[in-house]
Amino acid sequence: AQRVTQPEKLLSVFKGAPVELKCNYSYSGSPELFWYVQYSRQRLQLLLRHISRESIKGFTADLNKGETSFHLKKPFAQEEDSAMYYCALREDSGYALNFGKGTSLLVTP
Amino acid sequence: NAGVTQTPKFQVLKTGQSMTLQCAQDMNHEYMSWYRQDPGMGLRLIHYSVGAGITDQGEVPNGYNVSRSTTEDFPLRLLSAAPSQTSVYFCASGRQGGPNTGELFFGEGSRLTVL
C-alpha cells in the first residue's frame, strides 16, 4: 500500500521565489518522516528528518499529524536547489523506508 | 571510507539470463536494502536485511533473491531476467537503533537493461 504521496511530479519556480514540495502520508501509528534529495550526477542523500527539526540548506519541514503531511519549504529558491526530492516514511515498528514517487524541482533564473 | 559500493554500474542482459548485482559497505551498518527506481514510480523497496543471516521482502520482491552472509555484503540476484526488470537499482545501508535510524547511505546505482 502506498503510504507516501507526493502529488507533484514536477515543480518549476523562479529563483528567489518560495517553494513548497508536498508530501502526505497514510499511517495510523507514529511514523518517522524524511526528505531525501538527489542532485544531478550525485547520490541520493538525506536532506532532513522531522525529529531533528532543523533547517538544512534553507529547507524546513514540519510534521503535521492532523493533516498527515510533511511538506518541504524554502522561502527563497536557488538554482542549485534543482534536484529530485523524495519524501520517505519509516513505520514506528519497522526498519525499512518507504519512499514517495518523487518531485523534480526546477529552479529557473 | 568508500561508503556503499555497487557493481556493475551498467549491465545489459538478455531475457532469461541470470546475474548478481553486488553491494558492499564499509561503515559497519546493520541495515542494508535494495531499491529499484523507475520513471514515475519513484523508489520501490525490493529486499532488505537488518543483519547477517536476516533478510525480508519489500514491496516488489518477485524475481529477485538476496542473502546476507556478512555485515558488509548484500548481493541482489536476478535468477531469470525479464524486460520488466529493466531499471536503475540502488543499494542503501544505515544504522539500526539510536538517533540515526532511518538515515540511509546510497550507492551510485546500477543501470540494468533487459532485452
Side-chain angles (χ1 to χ4, degrees), chain A residues 15-60:
Chain A
K15 177 182 174 181
V19 62
E20 180 179 68
L21 290 85
K22 291 184 168 54
C23 173
N24 289 92
Y25 67 90
S26 60
Y27 182 64
S28 57
S30 297
E32 191 171 359
L33 276 297
F34 305 81
W35 277 99
Y36 277 78
V37 61
Q38 188 174 27
Y39 300 103
S40 178
R41 287 187 285 277
Q42 292 188 29
R43 302 185 186 209
L44 195 63
Q45 59 189 284
L46 177 66
L47 180 62
L48 54 79
R49 57 200 303 167
H50 88 268
I51 60 171
S52 62
R53 302 182 67 83
E54 55 188 350
S55 173
I56 305 293
K57 298 184 179 182
F59 284 99
T60 59

Side-chain angles (χ1 to χ4, degrees), chain B residues 37-111:
Chain B
Q37 184 184 48
D38 301 290
M41 301 297 291
L43 288 162
R44 292 182 292 170
L45 182 64
I46 305 171
H47 285 284
Y48 66 95
S49 168
V50 297
I54 306 169
T55 63
D56 207 344
Q57 296 181 350
E59 180 186 356
V60 288
N62 293 341
Y64 307 95
N65 278 355
V66 292
S67 60
R68 183 96 179 269
S69 57
T70 67
T71 300
E72 295 78 18
D73 301 298
F74 191 46
L76 178 71
R77 297 182 186 83
L78 285 72
L79 298 178
S80 179
S84 60
Q85 294 178 303
T86 293
S87 187
V88 180
Y89 292 85
F90 288 96
C91 179
S93 71
R95 294 207 179 279
Q96 283 301 128
N100 293 325
T101 299
E103 179 177 5
L104 295 184
F105 294 83
F106 281 82
E108 291 182 301
S110 299
R111 185 175 294 274

